Every structure is written in structure tokens, then in C-alpha cells.
Amino acid sequence: MGFLGFLILGLFAGAIAKALIPGRQGGGILITMLLGVIGAILGGWIGGLIFGGGLQEFFSIRTWILAIVGSVIVLLIYGALVGNRRRV
């Protein structure tokens, strides 16, 4: 998968992860893309450890599921770190 395909995958995986997690998450489209790409990397790494293969093709359902699961994990961690800050 090319660099552009990986960015598109990360953007959509991050957006789907935001839709799956209840509540309000901060961040715009750039934060969503960044968290999605980081989540796709994490999901590919976890998939490689558990299933013996990570992200393969852009249109593979396995690639999308791993990227979305990784994005949900990253978004939960991001929410835990940033979500509790109060505005003064």
C-alpha cells in the first residue's frame, strides 16, 4: 500500500473510530488523520503479533478492521490524556 493510500486509510479509520466511541472527542480533521494513521500502524503491529500478518492491501477487510481497532485504541488513549484538561 502506498503512502497516499495509508493516509486515506488513516483518515477513514480515525473518523470511524470517532463515530464508534460515545461522547464528544476534540480535534479536527488533521488530528483525526494523525490519530488514524497512528492507529493503523498500531493495528497493523497488533495484527502482525496475533495473526502473523499486518496491513496488506487497501481493499482488504482485514486491513480496515485492524486499522479501525488500532484507531479506537489510540483515540481512547488520546481522550484519556487530553480529555480531562480544564479550560481556565
Side-chain angles (χ1 to χ4, degrees):
M1 178 173 10
F3 180 72
L4 184 61
F6 202 75
L7 286 178
I8 293 170
L9 174 70
L11 176 64
F12 284 122
I16 292 169
K18 272 191 172 186
L20 290 175
I21 296 176
R24 184 172 174 221
Q25 293 87 29
I29 193 157
L30 292 177
I31 296 295
T32 300
M33 183 184 281
L34 179 65
L35 293 176
V37 170
I38 293 170
I41 293 169
L42 178 66
W45 180 71
I46 291 172
L49 291 176
I50 295 174
F51 304 116
L55 306 176
Q56 297 171 355
E57 296 180 10
F58 184 78
F59 292 107
S60 170
I61 190 72
R62 177 178 168 179
T63 298
W64 283 91
I65 291 173
L66 288 174
I68 292 168
V69 168
S71 295
V72 167
I73 293 169
V74 169
L75 192 60
L76 288 173
I77 292 170
Y78 176 77
L81 293 175
V82 178
N84 292 333
R85 295 183 183 175
R86 288 186 177 179
R87 302 214 177 209
V88 179

